Amino acid sequence: MLNRIKWDEDLYKDKDGNEHQNECELVWEGQTKQRNFGEMKFKLCPTEGFARDHFKQAGVEHYWDQAYSTAVLASSGQL
């Protein structure tokens, strides 16, 4: 995902209407004992809770928790 998607081509708007460049960060790398997802596909999640529930259905809500907490720390300047 870091190399195949042209992240800098699209802009998104935050809650205040300000435009920002998309970006992608690696938050975890490694191996697991089993596959938790079948076919990989794009899923639009309108809220954080909806996204966490999507990961919870696969039994890996900790992936969402780690990515979300990293994003919160990055936006506050603590990273």
Side-chain angles (χ1 to χ4, degrees):
M1 286 187 55
L2 292 171
N3 298 322
R4 294 182 61 192
I5 298 174
K6 297 177 183 173
W7 290 102
D8 56 355
E9 285 186 357
D10 293 325
L11 299 176
Y12 71 93
K13 291 186 180 181
D14 62 12
K15 295 176 184 176
D16 299 326
N18 301 323
E19 287 190 345
H20 300 277
Q21 259 189 316
N22 280 326
E23 57 185 56
C24 181
E25 285 188 40
L26 182 65
V27 293
W28 184 83
E29 184 175 22
Q31 296 180 358
T32 60
K33 290 183 180 184
Q34 64 187 23
R35 292 182 183 202
N36 296 97
F37 296 99
E39 180 184 344
M40 293 297 289
K41 55 187 167 185
F42 180 80
K43 175 134 183 139
L44 182 61
C45 298
T47 66
E48 289 89 359
F50 191 37
R52 190 173 194 281
D53 287 342
H54 176 68
F55 281 87
K56 189 174 185 175
Q57 290 173 1
V60 291
E61 61 269 25
H62 57 282
Y63 290 165
W64 172 258
D65 295 339
Q66 183 178 6
Y68 185 70
S69 62
T70 302
V72 169
L73 288 173
S75 68
S76 68
Q78 295 182 3
L79 269 183

